[in-house]
Amino acid sequence: MLRRSGLIQGNVAKYTKSVIKKALLEAFRGPSPERPPFWFLRQAGRYLPEYRELRQNAPNFLDFCYSPELTVEAALQPLSRFKMDAAILFSDILVIPDALGCKVDFVEGQGPLLQPIRSERAIADLRPEGMEDHLQPVFASVRELRRVLPPETALIGFAGAPWTVALYMVEGRGGGESDVIRRWAYSEPESFAKLIEVLADTTVAYLKKQIECGAEVVMLFDTWAGLLSETQFHAWVIAPTAKIVSRLKASGSDVPIIGFPRGAGALYEDYVRETGIDGVSLDPTVPLTWAKEKLQPHCLVQGNLDNHLLVAGGRGLGEETGRILNALSGGGFIFNLGHGILPQTPPEHVARVAERLFSHDSAP
Ligand code: 1CP
């Protein structure tokens, strides 16, 4: 039997009598009166010894992702140490290709490997109608997390954005030059658009279901958005994201949507203006004064502490945390990293940043 953290049980009893506002959700209405809410991208994972131990229960990572008992515990682990204002569903963006019938393997030390999809014929073989059934364990995890989380803690659901999920499906892996997907998208846009369309439709259905099960914010990870030039960025990042956002809103959901077009540079501005998202996650390269002037008037901003600085620690970490707080606390803002926590991050460095945020002190 798995242990549940004391924090969670204790708080349930303490708060059931009054209606508690969730600081993370309130931040979408404007500046936070006390301190900015915070959570960390990839806050659950290998930097925590208790995660590494839990992971032993399912050597295959996808089996782990499809075991609600394990994923609920993994999502709660960082909260019992650092008391973030939100939990994020423990899953992966690549459960969507897996659910569509594309073979996905997580190879130790190599990251994810997929059987590549490189033709219209292969797109036609995808099975979007099986998605909901296949991902029942993910929805069970969302429901259970919502049930056990303390009332002041928000629950974040997520999916990969179509461009990024397509990149893994076409290349068979992430990163590198990604020349196969770019050649396809640039030379035969009508054919490539079919893959993006299947992914956008499936993502809408997937996120709707997460919201129905209790997700209170949803996040769209477009990790590889930064590979694209302006015209291509509009076609494959902005257009499908705008479609997902408008269809979620048209379904009657008022759950805030945070987009993360990592590496978009100056195109962050078009992304914020044209997609209709409620919040944007900033990678570490985004200048803070620029974000404050150009992005924050339009939507909440989240970010953008350098994840390598969290590994390094020391004076630089404290100074940068203060600089981010100073620059962005005057508007809608969630403190976070600019990209996911790295496995080599000392948990004590995460604790130091969390303590700093609780003391709501923006001095360096
Ligand atoms: O053995 C293990 O434990 C596998 C490591 C791992 C973990 C902990 C992978 C493989 N995925 C995850 C969980 C995960 N992935 C979460 C939930 C954890 C949390 O946030 O607390 C989330 C939100 C993701 C999202 C994800 N997966 C993204 C988007 C965010 C980002 O970091 O840019 C991407 C690109 C992936 C693909 C993926 N899955 C796993 C790895 C190592 C990768 C990245 C590989 C690559 O760089 O191409």
Side-chain angles (χ1 to χ4, degrees):
M1 213 23 221
L2 295 163
R3 254 181 311 114
R4 275 271 132 81
S5 76
L7 163 88
I8 307 299
Q9 282 173 355
N11 282 353
V12 169
K14 206 160 85 197
Y15 288 120
T16 40
K17 286 202 187 95
S18 56
V19 178
I20 302 290
K21 285 200 171 159
K22 304 194 184 210
L24 190 120
L25 300 183
E26 290 298 307
F28 287 90
R29 301 172 196 272
S32 304
E34 288 180 14
R35 58 163 181 88
F38 74 102
W39 67 285
F40 296 115
L41 296 175
R42 298 278 191 112
Q43 62 191 22
R46 287 173 294 178
Y47 76 106
L48 290 176
E50 58 271 33
Y51 171 79
R52 296 197 294 271
E53 198 190 320
L54 187 69
R55 191 63 178 70
Q56 305 292 319
N57 289 290
N60 179 315
F61 183 63
L62 275 178
D63 289 343
F64 188 94
C65 288
Y66 297 145
S67 309
E69 201 187 3
L70 299 175
T71 53
V72 168
E73 184 63 18
L76 295 176
Q77 283 177 340
L79 298 183
S80 56
R81 274 188 187 245
F82 311 116
K83 303 181 172 46
M84 290 88 168
D85 295 289
I88 180 162
L89 160 71
F90 191 96
S91 182
D92 196 83
I93 63 167
L94 300 177
V95 297
I96 285 292
D98 185 54
L100 292 173
C102 164
K103 194 168 152 32
V104 181
D105 263 327
F106 285 87
V107 183
E108 197 63 44
Q110 278 196 68
L113 295 179
L114 292 80
Q115 185 170 11
I117 300 276
R118 294 184 176 172
S119 64
E120 284 198 44
R121 170 80 194 273
I123 299 171
D125 283 343
L126 295 172
R127 291 279 153 258
E129 64 282 0
M131 181 278 290
E132 242 185 78
D133 246 13
H134 191 88
L135 298 182
Q136 280 307 322
V138 176
F139 304 131
S141 181
V142 175
R143 265 189 235 105
E144 178 62 7
L145 270 172
R146 182 64 191 273
R147 196 180 70 77
V148 300
L149 280 174
E152 74 277 19
T153 308
L155 175 58
I156 303 173
F158 72 91
W163 165 254
T164 286
V165 176
L167 185 140
Y168 284 96
M169 292 171 80
V170 174
E171 296 291 332
R173 58 170 69 224
E177 274 300 301
S178 300
D179 51 342
V180 182
I181 189 172
R182 291 202 277 184
R183 199 180 322 132
W184 187 2
Y186 295 10
S187 63
E188 292 174 63
E190 292 83 9
S191 138
F192 179 67
K194 294 186 176 155
L195 177 57
I196 292 293
E197 194 181 327
V198 172
L199 290 172
D201 291 347
T202 309
T203 305
V204 170
Y206 181 47
L207 291 178
K208 261 196 203 167
K209 187 78 190 163
Q210 289 186 28
I211 293 167
E212 207 179 292
C213 294
E216 297 169 291
V217 175
V218 291
M219 187 152 165
L220 270 174
F221 288 98
D222 223 340
T223 304
W224 301 111
L227 290 171
L228 294 171
S229 56
E230 184 177 2
T231 308
Q232 303 296 333
F233 184 86
H234 275 84
W236 310 120
V237 172
I238 292 185
T241 302
K243 179 172 162 188
I244 292 169
V245 172
S246 72
R247 285 178 51 192
L248 287 175
K249 305 270 180 205
S251 73
S253 160
D254 59 357
V255 160
I257 304 164
I258 304 178
F260 182 29
R262 187 172 75 106
L267 291 168
Y268 258 99
E269 213 182 331
D270 289 357
Y271 182 87
V272 158
R273 287 171 180 272
E274 295 172 26
T275 58
I277 40 131
D278 305 286
V280 70
S281 212
L282 310 177
D283 71 56
T285 70
V286 177
L288 296 174
T289 45
W290 182 84
K292 181 184 161 91
E293 276 172 31
K294 305 282 189 194
L295 309 179
Q296 210 173 22
H298 301 285
C299 70
L300 171 140
V301 296
Q302 166 181 281
N304 74 341
L305 186 71
D306 187 336
N307 55 353
H308 291 274
L309 202 46
L310 195 62
V311 176
R315 218 179 67 196
L317 177 60
E319 283 171 0
E320 187 61 11
T321 304
R323 206 172 74 84
I324 295 169
L325 289 169
N326 269 327
L328 301 176
S329 295
F333 170 54
I334 297 170
F335 186 91
N336 205 322
L337 299 178
H339 199 195
I341 296 188
L342 296 160
Q344 67 270 32
T345 306
E348 311 81 75
H349 294 181
V350 181
R352 245 186 54 214
V353 175
E355 280 158 23
R356 167 72 176 278
L357 292 162
F358 279 116
S359 72
H360 35 108
D361 164 17
S362 59

